[in-house]
Amino acid sequence: MAEIRIKNVAKTFGAYQALHDINLTIADQEFMVLLGASGCGKTTLLRIVAGLATASTGEVWIGGRRVDHLPPKDRGIAMVFQNYAVFPHLTVFENIAFGLRMKKMPNDEVTRRVERTATLMHIEQLLKRYSGELSGGQRQRVAVARALAMEPDVILMDEPLSNLDALLRLEMRAELKGVLADSKTTAIYVTHDQVEAMSLADRISVMHQGKIVQAATPIEVYRSPAAEFVGSFIGNPPMNFIKATPAGDGKWRVAGEIIDGPRTDRPALQFAIRPEDIRPAEHGLTATAKVVEPLGAHLLVTCDVDGRPFRAVLDSDLTVRPGDTLTLAPQADRIRWFDPETTLALA
Ligand code: ATP
């Protein structure tokens, strides 16, 4: 059992507060991704769990044990970082064996574990090579194999695929997901790549300015963003937002259209819809097409609605030209409403 509990963790660097009161529980064997823009505090939080940095306040628990006063080696974790330290003068075998030798593990056990993890990562044919003779992707696999060979309860990864080209990233992503599911390890994975996050995670913690804005499954984060930030950060292109004013009786005026919405006495709301959840229809928002991008599988149309940009992902069979007037209907069950004051979603 290696549940991870992060309780009330905050971190300041001098006067700068990098993390604000973080509370997060990662279940045993769960794959948790920390996702957010550069500087939001992902790496700092991971380093605190690893023991490479100390929290200013708060506690870290791993497997029911409080660990924030323990050095990294006593926390039952293994790490893979962006700049993975694979030693070029050692063979692949000795690189994978590195941590096991440090622990003075018997030779036959070292061999068993190295061979097992090398097979998992499809590098068993490379064991005798020097790591200096490997490609970036192969070196990356060695780094992951070395972490898995420790048979850790917890594996912590910080942008481990960022040095790879796009195709290799895609391949490694799928492999990593399979391997970690098989190895029953609890994982925390840091990335700023939303596609990587969506594809790997059991749950994603979306971070913004040192806070976790939402921790939920990939589909929840996509479909039901808890805050405007999540809607604008997740999804490519991001959600469309339009200011809505009350039209009485649970109805809202959105760019001249009357749309059913929540019953609340707030003076204004933010109407939000994903570009994928919009269809041309008889009734809907009046939009002027500005830029039409045929992307193969679909047509991305950037329009003007009420003087502001509004994007729609439409069927690629449609003919739309810049200057055309479109009537676009948002799919009713996909509309989200946010409070403009708090930027949080309404229930
Ligand atoms: P990236 O994706 O760019 O790595 P991140 O989300 O991992 O970003 P962190 O590295 O956790 O961000 O940094 C969070 C904030 O804390 C940043 O504003 C960073 O400048 C600041 N910070 C990090 N380490 C230190 C430090 N040692 N001293 C001062 N400020 C720091």
Side-chain angles (χ1 to χ4, degrees):
M1 268 294 286
E3 178 191 81
I4 303 171
R5 295 190 75 120
I6 300 166
K7 291 192 195 171
N8 305 106
V9 162
K11 176 72 176 174
T12 48
F13 294 107
Y16 180 73
Q17 184 142 17
L19 293 175
H20 301 259
D21 196 30
I22 301 280
N23 284 286
L24 187 65
T25 300
I26 299 146
D28 179 41
Q29 299 182 34
E30 187 174 26
F31 197 127
M32 174 64 81
V33 171
L34 305 181
L35 173 69
S38 179
C40 70
K42 312 176 292 290
T43 297
T44 304
L45 185 56
L46 194 75
R47 287 172 55 84
I48 288 172
V49 175
L52 299 173
T54 338
S56 305
T57 57
E59 300 173 6
V60 179
W61 294 68
I62 297 177
R65 209 166 49 120
R66 187 165 173 189
V67 297
D68 43 83
H69 301 296
L70 301 178
K73 69 175 177 51
D74 296 335
R75 295 189 180 198
I77 53 169
M79 297 176 253
V80 186
F81 289 135
Q82 181 177 351
N83 301 314
Y84 35 90
V86 170
F87 308 115
H89 60 284
L90 295 181
T91 60
V92 168
F93 186 102
E94 285 307 322
N95 262 291
I96 299 175
F98 191 80
L100 307 176
R101 302 261 192 237
M102 298 279 279
K103 282 192 150 180
K104 311 228 176 327
M105 195 165 279
N107 269 331
D108 50 349
E109 178 64 6
V110 171
T111 305
R112 186 189 73 77
R113 290 207 192 181
V114 170
E115 286 177 351
R116 191 183 138 267
T117 50
T119 307
L120 271 177
M121 297 309 298
H122 304 297
I123 48 172
E124 67 273 28
Q125 74 288 5
L126 300 176
L127 286 172
K128 293 199 178 96
R129 278 231 215 140
Y130 284 91
S131 298
E133 304 164 358
L134 301 177
S135 73
Q138 291 167 332
R139 270 202 294 278
Q140 184 64 69
R141 285 159 201 248
V142 174
V144 176
R146 183 169 58 196
L148 291 175
M150 302 296 287
E151 296 185 359
D153 295 330
V154 171
I155 189 162
L156 306 176
M157 291 170 277
D158 192 348
E159 306 261 8
L161 308 185
S162 58
N163 292 349
L164 309 183
D165 67 46
L167 193 61
L168 205 52
R169 264 180 99 117
L170 206 72
E171 261 175 41
M172 279 289 297
R173 193 169 84 194
E175 271 171 31
L176 205 57
K177 185 167 178 163
V179 166
L180 284 179
D182 291 348
S183 67
K184 303 196 187 322
T185 311
T186 309
I188 308 183
Y189 186 103
V190 162
T191 183
H192 63 269
D193 179 334
Q194 52 164 304
V195 179
E196 203 163 278
M198 299 285 283
S199 91
L200 284 171
D202 292 320
R203 275 191 305 152
I204 299 176
S205 291
V206 183
M207 295 186 67
H208 183 48
Q209 296 178 340
K211 294 181 184 149
I212 294 177
V213 192
Q214 184 170 15
T217 62
I219 197 68
E220 281 175 290
V221 163
Y222 173 80
R223 285 267 163 83
S224 311
E228 279 185 44
F229 172 77
V230 180
S232 59
F233 188 75
I234 305 271
N236 185 18
M239 271 187 138
N240 294 298
F241 296 93
I242 301 177
K243 193 182 166 191
T245 50
D249 204 22
K251 301 202 181 294
W252 294 82
R253 188 174 298 279
V254 178
E257 271 303 293
I258 303 293
I259 292 182
D260 285 336
R263 289 176 186 277
T264 159
D265 51 14
R266 288 176 178 81
L269 288 181
Q270 197 78 291
F271 158 95
I273 189 80
R274 291 210 171 274
E276 303 84 283
D277 298 330
I278 297 163
R279 301 280 170 276
E282 254 180 58
H283 301 287
L285 304 167
T286 305
T288 310
K290 292 286 176 194
V291 181
V292 179
E293 297 170 76
L295 299 179
H298 53 253
L299 205 61
L300 173 59
V301 185
T302 304
C303 308
D304 178 308
V305 171
D306 217 20
R308 300 194 51 198
F310 184 92
R311 293 193 188 85
V313 169
L314 303 179
D315 195 318
S316 57
D317 293 335
L318 287 174
T319 309
V320 181
R321 291 187 199 83
D324 286 357
T325 300
L326 308 172
T327 307
L328 298 176
Q331 198 179 314
D333 61 344
R334 294 289 165 81
I335 296 171
R336 300 286 294 171
W337 299 91
F338 296 93
D339 180 338
E341 295 222 335
T342 60
T343 79
L344 299 180
L346 271 70

